[in-house]
Structures are given as C-alpha cells and as structure tokens.
C-alpha cells in the first residue's frame, strides 16, 4: 500500500534516504518529541508535536491539521464563515473546517537547542486527495522560483533583521497567564529595556545587552543558521541580526525559523523578543527588514547584477553605472510594482508608522546608489561580485515567502518588458516622488490595482489574501482604543 507521501508524488529515493538518516538522528540523540511545524499566512510557525516513535510514520503518512489554520487573520480569528452554506465556496476543500495533512521534509530535521530531547521538522500542507494546498505561502515562493528558473535565473538573498528584546519584569509573565485577564487577543507582558538606546553600535550597550544577545547567538548557530553579526541598533532595546546570503528559499526558511526560535529561547530566560515594527511605547525606533537580493545564473551561480565596468557614457546616478542591463530591468520592475508589493513587505497596520522622513526608512518609490533613505539601495560597484539591490521597505513581521515572491514577480516583469530605471535620487524625502502606501488599506488597494501581480500570484490567492488582511483593517477601524488594539494584536504575538 502506498504511503501518503507517495500519493502526493514527493517520496523518492532521496527522500527515503533522508528519512532513514533522520530516524537515526532521533534514535542517537535521545529525542522524545518531534515538532512538525508549518508557516502560516502571517509568517508564524504552527504545528503539532508527536512522540518520537510516531514521527517516522508521520513523515510518510502525514499529520492532520484543521484547514481553518489557513484562514486565520492576525488575531487568530477565522476570516471565512466555514460553517455557513457558501461561506467558503471560493475555497473548495475548506468547508466545515475540514482536514488537511501536513507532510514534513525529513531533511529539515533539527535538534532544538533550548528545550530537552526535542526535534523539529518543517512541513507543508496537502489536501486529503494528495494535491498540494496552493494557498500555502511556501508553495507560492516555490512557484515564483520555478518561473525564475524557467528564465534561467536563481536568486540569492541576504537578511538584515531589526527587532526588539525586552526583559520581562515582575508579574509580567503572571499577567499573561492570569485567567481573570484572559482575552482574545490576550494581555502582553510587562517589560523593561535591555539597553537605553540612542547610541548606535555602542559597545557599552552591547555589553549591557550581552546576556540575551548570547542566547540569540547560540540559538541561531545551534540551528545552523548563517548568522554573521549581532548589533546594537539606534532605538531603545533595539538590536539587529545580519545573515550571510543564501539561495532565496533557504533565506525564507531561515527567517521563519529564526523568529520563532529566538522568541522561545529568550522567553525561557525571562526575555521577550518582538518583531513588531513599532512596539507600543512612546519613545521607540521602528524596526525594518532590509532584504538584499541579486539574480544568479541558474547553472553558473554567477552574479548577474554585476558588471565589469560602468556602461559607456553613464554617470553614478545611472543604473548601469553600477548594475548590469539585467540588473537595471529588475530594479525598474521593483519600482514599477513598488506600491503593489508593499502589502507583502509590510503586512501589518503597525508597520506603516515606519515610513517617515529622515528616519532611515523609505517614504517614496525611489532608488539610490548606497542611499539609505531610498526605498531601493543599489550596493556595489563595477567588478564587485557582491553587487546587489537592497529593498528597505520590509518590516520584520513580514511573511518571508510572500516578501520574496513579490520581489521575483516584480523584477521578472521588469526584465520581460525591458523597463528602464530613472536616475538615482539625491533627495529621498522630497515632495515630488510617488509615495509608498501609508496604510494597510491603501496597500491592499494598490495590490488589487496591479494587474501584473494579480496575474503572477493568481486572482484566487489574491482574493484569499486580501480578504484575510481586510479583516485586520476592519477590526482596527472598529476598535475603541486603537493603540491598545495594536498592543494586544501584535506585541506579544509577532
């Protein structure tokens, strides 16, 4: 009898070898529990925990998941009325909170460093008939990468992730677990800062914050994540983690695992990590997720944005002074679709408060040559194999699969249409430029108006995505205290 993995068409000799290897690791490592994890629409890991003896079979036959996990808004409310006739008519297979099956990749196995005798595997959901769940965001990126490969390109990405770490104080942890205060969403913890801020890259502040940063370091390295540096950012209690460049899918997987892992490891030590863009305090600095990206030859791995010498007759403000012709087309595509892609880069109501002038965050649809005020920063020079485009529009809570897929589709459109980029800006906060959307609602409207992105992602996915995000907008508009709404919605959850 065929296993469910075989019915799905994903089990082959390579996967069988990985399964046998993972079985050996579970046995040798004294693993008692294995977490089967999956990334939801909001970039959060969910899943089930199995005893070790059941893990191998589950990697062949799947783990049952309620389908409404794909239909949750940011408060964990189901945005579709699945128990009403026609309530999920546009989502066949999701009616009545039906079952999905999560199939984990045995090659993704990791031994979690912060909890004893526990393993972890990453999975993706399938329908009960063995067909893939097309709304799965990791699958969205896989499809985008397949289109990129059809054109002869691969993608490399480097991650710069700003976030905040706080120390949980006094009865902060007890408040969250107090049944008298239980609510939906619940009460965030009470916290204190780990450094006072406003002293960028201060060695003294690093020393003050070293204990939690060591936890971040050890957790990331134990998981095999390519951590390069940990830094003190400008804002109070704000830090940054920088990772070496990898292929795009690995970068997205790493981002999801990093966020979940450091939150858990720090929590056990009495700290609260949040990837909320603007934590709910009066004096903070917004956090961004700066995505460095380049295209590479699918067979050679060579950086296709690099050029050996500046194009004849170009000035430093011209794209081809630094970028190849392909790189200019890709850059122009990112600019062309910047407003439409914004909601994938900054998907929370809170994140739009970051787009302010002179705050090292973008405000307008512009590019600059090594200009940190511009939305797109071109980094490198002729002959530099690390030449790349940095998108500075993202917030650290973004779903990485959708963030990266949006870049691929925008850049590919620029390549296919051979778009030309304008000259680089020297006034990123000027008044004349086209502005980035200033709210989640405006960003959703911009996505709906971008026909190229609608075609690339598919109207089925866009309708699903916008409906769930619109639920977030509506609840915020109806909130009596919108500041408290954001504090409860985001601070303890992302």
């Amino acid at each position: 009898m065929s296993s469910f993995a075989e019915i799905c068409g994903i089990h082959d000799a390579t996967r069988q070898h990985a399964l046998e290897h993972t079985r050996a690791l579970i046995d040798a490592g004294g693993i008692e529990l294995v977490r089967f994890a999956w990334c939801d629409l909001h970039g959060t890991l969910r899943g089930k925990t199995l005893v070790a003896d059941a893990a191998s079979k589950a990697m062949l036959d799947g783990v049952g998941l309620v389908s409404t996990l794909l239909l949750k808004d940011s408060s964990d409310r189901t945005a579709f009325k699945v128990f009403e006739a026609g309530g999920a008519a546009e989502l066949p297979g999701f009616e009545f909170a039906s079952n999905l099956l999560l199939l984990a990749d045995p090659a993704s196995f990791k031994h979690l460093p912060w909890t004893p005798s526990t393993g972890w595997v990453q999975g993706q959901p399938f329908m009960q008939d063995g067909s893939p769940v097309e709304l799965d965001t990791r699958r969205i990126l896989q499809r985008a990468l397949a289109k990129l490969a059809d054109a002869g390109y691969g993608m490399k990405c480097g991650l710069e992730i700003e976030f905040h770490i706080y120390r949980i104080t006094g009865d902060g942890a007890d408040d969250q677990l107090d049944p008298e205060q239980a609510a939906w969403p619940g009460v965030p913890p009470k916290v204190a800062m780990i450094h006072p801020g406003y002293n960028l890259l201060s060695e003294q502040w690093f020393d003050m914050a070293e204990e939690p940063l060591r936890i971040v370091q050890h957790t990331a390295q134990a998981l095999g994540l390519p951590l390069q540096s940990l830094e003190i950012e400008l804002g109070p209690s704000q830090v940054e983690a920088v990772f070496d460049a990898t292929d795009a899918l690995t970068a997205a997987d790493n981002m999801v695992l990093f966020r979940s892992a450091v939150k858990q490891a720090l929590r056990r030590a009495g700290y609260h990590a949040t990837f909320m863009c603007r934590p709910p305090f009066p004096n903070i600095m917004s956090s961004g997720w700066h995505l460095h990206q380049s295209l590479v030859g699918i067979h050679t791995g060579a950086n296709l944005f690099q050029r050996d010498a500046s194009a004849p007759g170009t000035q430093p403000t011209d794209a081809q002074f630094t970028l190849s012709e392909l790189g200019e087309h890709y850059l122009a595509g990112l600019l062309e679709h910047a407003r439409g892609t914004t909601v994938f880069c900054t998907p929370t109501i809170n994140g739009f408060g970051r787009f302010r002038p002179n705050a090292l965050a973008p405000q307008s649809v512009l590019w600059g040559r090594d200009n940190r005020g511009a939305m797109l920063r071109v980094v490198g020079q002729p002959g530099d194999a690390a030449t790349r485009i940095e998108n500075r529009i993202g917030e650290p809570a973004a779903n990485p699969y959708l963030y990266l897929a949006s870049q691929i589709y925008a850049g590919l459109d620029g390549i296919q249409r051979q778009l030309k980029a304008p000259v680089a800006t020297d006034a990123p906060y000027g008044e004349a430029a086209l502005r980035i959307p200033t709210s989640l609602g405006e960003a959703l409207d911009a996505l709906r108006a971008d026909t190229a992105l609608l075609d690339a992602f598919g109207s089925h996915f866009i309708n699903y995505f916008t409906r769930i995000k619109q639920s977030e907008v509506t609840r915020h508009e109806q909130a009596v205290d919108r500041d408290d709404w954001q504090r409860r919605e985001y601070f303890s959850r992302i």
Side-chain angles (χ1 to χ4, degrees):
M1 184 176 178
S2 297
S3 69
F4 184 67
E6 289 171 317
I7 293 171
C8 295
I10 66 170
H11 196 71
D12 54 17
T14 300
R15 191 175 187 276
Q16 179 62 31
H17 177 76
L19 179 58
E20 292 169 358
H21 180 64
T22 294
R23 283 174 180 158
L25 291 175
I26 290 172
D27 291 341
I31 299 296
E32 299 174 0
L33 298 172
V34 180
R35 298 183 186 179
F36 282 62
W38 159 77
C39 179
D40 72 4
L41 182 69
H42 308 286
T44 299
L45 282 178
R46 300 176 185 258
K48 290 189 175 181
T49 301
L50 278 65
V51 297
D53 289 345
S56 295
K57 187 175 186 299
M59 283 184 252
L60 284 172
D61 293 330
V63 177
L65 288 179
V66 59
S67 59
T68 53
L69 284 173
L70 278 87
L71 310 181
K72 301 289 189 182
D73 67 12
S74 55
S75 72
D76 215 52
R77 291 174 171 86
T78 301
F80 292 77
K81 297 179 179 180
V82 296
F83 294 109
E84 295 184 9
E90 65 267 46
L91 299 173
F94 287 81
E95 304 92 342
F96 312 120
S98 56
N99 213 37
L100 303 174
L101 287 165
L102 182 69
L103 270 176
D105 177 7
S108 67
F109 177 83
K110 296 183 184 296
H111 192 158
L112 297 184
W114 67 87
T115 181
S117 307
T118 303
W120 181 95
V121 284
Q122 182 178 33
Q124 289 181 260
F126 287 79
M127 308 300 286
Q128 294 182 60
D129 64 1
S131 59
V133 175
E134 299 297 343
L135 299 177
D136 173 45
T137 58
R138 190 171 191 264
R139 193 159 278 116
I140 295 290
L141 177 56
Q142 288 169 323
R143 287 203 297 270
L145 289 168
K147 290 185 179 181
L148 196 63
D150 288 343
Y153 313 128
M155 186 185 198
K156 280 191 78 173
C157 295
L159 311 179
E160 289 184 17
I161 309 156
E162 296 170 346
F163 61 108
H164 291 78
I165 302 173
Y166 298 94
R167 179 178 286 105
I168 299 172
T169 61
D171 57 359
D174 293 338
D175 282 351
Q176 280 198 300
L177 300 178
D178 180 359
E180 298 293 338
Q181 299 186 59
W184 191 355
V187 180
K190 295 175 183 175
V191 297
M193 299 184 301
I194 61 167
H195 72 77
Y198 306 119
N199 199 357
L200 183 65
L201 297 181
S202 166
E203 185 179 16
Q204 293 182 61
W205 287 181
F206 187 96
D207 193 69
M208 182 183 293
E210 185 171 7
E211 181 180 73
L213 289 176
R214 287 281 190 176
I215 294 171
V216 174
Q217 173 212 337
H218 293 154
T219 301
Q221 290 179 329
L223 292 170
L225 304 181
L227 181 67
Q228 184 184 94
S229 68
L230 291 169
E231 301 171 7
I232 294 296
E233 266 296 334
L234 180 60
S237 228
Q238 188 180 41
V239 300
E240 181 178 58
V242 179
F243 293 84
D244 290 334
T246 65
D247 69 274
L249 186 60
T250 298
D253 289 342
N254 288 346
M255 180 64 168
V256 170
L257 180 56
F258 175 74
R259 288 189 305 210
S260 181
V262 299
K263 284 180 74 71
Q264 294 175 71
L266 284 167
R267 177 71 188 217
R268 289 191 175 220
Y271 295 96
H272 177 67
T274 181
F275 293 84
M276 180 182 185
C277 179
R278 295 179 57 79
F281 305 112
N283 299 306
I284 53 95
M285 296 292 290
S286 302
S287 289
W289 169 11
H290 305 148
L291 179 63
H292 295 254
Q293 55 193 297
S294 60
L295 296 188
V296 297
I298 195 70
H299 300 298
T300 65
N303 185 347
L304 301 179
F305 285 0
Q306 177 189 348
R307 64 179 315 127
D308 294 331
S310 297
T314 57
Q315 303 297 319
T317 53
D318 297 323
Q320 288 196 49
F321 186 87
T322 304
L323 294 171
S324 66
E325 185 176 3
L326 181 83
E328 179 184 11
H329 296 329
Y330 188 93
L331 174 70
L334 295 183
L335 292 169
E336 177 83 359
H337 299 288
R339 284 179 55 82
T341 59
T342 296
V343 72
F344 296 122
C345 310
T346 297
T348 71
I349 287 165
N350 176 265
F352 287 85
R354 174 171 165 260
F355 301 143
R356 303 180 178 192
N358 304 307
L360 290 177
Q363 189 177 31
S364 301
V365 180
L366 297 166
W367 78 275
R369 189 167 180 266
D370 202 10
N371 186 329
R372 286 182 168 85
M375 186 191 86
L376 300 174
R377 172 180 171 237
V378 172
V379 184
Q381 56 190 341
D384 184 356
T387 298
R388 60 198 184 274
I389 298 169
E390 177 192 15
N391 193 334
R392 298 177 62 82
I393 198 174
E395 66 167 320
N399 180 310
Y401 304 113
L402 298 181
Y403 189 174
L404 271 62
S406 75
Q407 304 300 281
I408 291 169
Y409 286 135
L412 267 179
D413 186 61
I415 292 169
Q416 291 162 355
R417 293 166 56 197
Q418 297 188 331
L419 298 179
K420 295 289 186 180
V423 297
T425 184
D426 60 2
Y429 300 112
E431 294 297 323
L434 180 67
R435 291 297 175 91
I436 295 165
T438 57
S439 69
L440 180 56
E442 184 184 347
L444 289 170
D445 290 340
L447 173 60
R448 294 185 187 103
D450 193 315
T451 56
L453 291 178
L454 290 176
D455 289 343
F457 281 94
S459 59
H460 182 58
F461 177 79
I462 295 298
N463 291 338
Y464 153 80
F465 174 81
T466 55
R467 177 164 174 173
I468 291 177
K469 297 307 293 183
Q470 188 62 49
S471 172
E472 193 173 333
V473 173
T474 300
R475 287 186 300 99
H476 180 251
E477 290 173 344
Q478 295 172 345
V480 175
D481 185 337
R482 293 183 178 179
D483 289 338
D484 184 65
W485 184 94
Q486 289 198 44
R487 184 175 68 92
R488 289 173 176 267
E489 189 85 4
Y490 302 127
F491 184 57
S492 63
R493 300 167 71 91
I494 62 176

